[in-house]
Amino acid sequence: MLTALYVPANRPDRFAKAVAAGPDLVVFDLEDAVPVDDKADARSWAVAWVAARSGGSFEVRVNAAGTPWIEDDLAALAAVPAARIRLPKVESAADVRRVLDQVPTARITALIESPLGLERAFEIATADPRVVAIALGEADLASSLGVDGPEGLAWARGRLVSASRAAGLGAPMLSVYPHVNDEEGLRRTCLEGRALGFVGRTAIHPRQLAPIIESFTPSATQVADAAALLAAVDKAGVAEGGVIVLPDGRMVDPAMLGRAREILDLMEQLEN
């Protein structure tokens, strides 16, 4: 999954447009994007849309624990089989389990937005098999840490990648880039995230999707090298496991083979 696109849940006129833009995941936002007076209508519209399209690639960002709206959000989503919930401001495994107690069939993306949540990232990622991803809420986290710009969040980003990988969730997606008209900045920060191990990014406007996909697409050289490596191992007829010495003298370990497969799997995903 390379792209997710936020759409304010109080704007049902944008729902179909968001899907048509072609992201891997559409995230209906009940939290920050929705004024208080619109919360109830937004919840009804988003849940009705998701419920009517079973099996679609949709996620609902609910309101945070402790707000007046979270219980109604969860009660509505409990009626949607296998709903995907984007849970904000997660600080512990217990936060995740409380939601799953109320919506047992849900799959959770846990948003980590505080230093405490960051310190517990692995605990959160392994809270339950129904946690399918963890992600940073970078604006709140940066404010809490007292840092500015992506440089100040590099350590936090790296910690999230490590926790996600260690938990077996795979590479996470970057947080949103808020400057919709700054394509150069979007591309630059995508490449910075890619260098740290992220795969893909969440967008707030459809025009951000193409630059995100391009930034995270492996280069032609990477694809060719990965294919050649796997072909050489296959041709040599050697069993995988431990270090492999190919006939041309190259030493190949399982990590190198795993990375080659990741690159080719990503290209297959992009092509299909």
Side-chain angles (χ1 to χ4, degrees):
M1 184 179 296
L2 284 185
T3 56
L5 177 63
Y6 274 114
V7 58
N10 63 330
R11 293 296 306 270
D13 56 308
R14 296 183 182 177
F15 291 1
K17 294 176 183 177
V19 174
D24 297 310
L25 184 71
V26 174
V27 183
F28 299 96
D29 190 4
L30 299 178
E31 194 200 20
D32 291 346
V34 179
V36 170
D37 291 345
D38 291 347
K39 295 285 189 184
D41 285 340
R43 180 187 308 114
S44 296
W45 289 326
V47 172
W49 177 279
V50 173
R53 293 161 179 82
S54 178
S57 298
F58 308 120
E59 193 168 73
V60 178
R61 179 163 79 167
V62 298
N63 288 280
T67 67
W69 313 287
I70 177 64
E71 296 303 324
D72 288 339
D73 292 347
L74 297 179
L77 287 165
V80 180
R84 283 191 61 141
I85 296 175
R86 184 164 289 232
L87 184 63
K89 299 175 175 59
V90 178
E91 293 192 320
S92 69
D95 292 344
V96 173
R97 295 190 190 108
R98 277 193 291 270
V99 170
L100 289 171
D101 285 344
Q102 294 175 262
V103 194
T105 63
R107 292 168 293 164
I108 302 291
T109 295
L111 288 179
I112 294 171
E113 305 184 65
S114 69
L116 180 58
L118 185 62
E119 288 298 315
R120 294 172 172 171
F122 179 74
E123 172 192 326
I124 292 166
T126 56
D128 188 277
R130 289 165 289 183
V131 175
V132 296
I134 56 175
L136 290 180
E138 291 192 349
D140 283 6
L141 182 60
S143 177
S144 296
L145 293 173
V147 300
D148 298 310
E151 298 84 2
L153 287 173
W155 172 81
R157 289 175 170 177
R159 187 176 179 86
L160 187 90
V161 170
S162 179
S164 184
R165 289 284 195 170
L169 300 180
M173 299 175 72
L174 275 173
S175 181
V176 300
Y177 187 71
H179 309 293
V180 173
N181 296 321
D182 181 12
E183 185 174 315
E184 180 181 348
L186 174 62
R187 291 178 184 274
R188 183 186 68 254
T189 55
C190 282
L191 293 175
E192 291 169 352
R194 177 177 170 179
L196 289 172
F198 285 85
V199 175
R201 187 168 208 157
T202 305
I204 56 174
H205 194 283
R207 75 166 65 107
Q208 293 182 315
L209 296 176
I212 290 171
I213 292 170
E214 291 167 10
S215 297
F216 284 97
T217 298
S219 68
T221 298
Q222 286 179 302
V223 174
D225 288 348
L229 177 61
L230 294 177
V233 171
D234 184 62
K235 182 178 180 180
V238 292
E240 295 186 23
V243 175
I244 299 168
V245 180
L246 296 176
D248 62 7
R250 280 184 294 168
M251 295 182 67
V252 181
D253 64 20
M256 295 169 64
L257 295 175
R259 179 57 181 154
R261 290 194 190 89
E262 283 186 347
I263 291 171
L264 297 183
D265 287 347
L266 178 55
M267 287 305 301
E268 183 178 358
Q269 174 190 332
L270 291 169
E271 291 167 358
N272 293 333

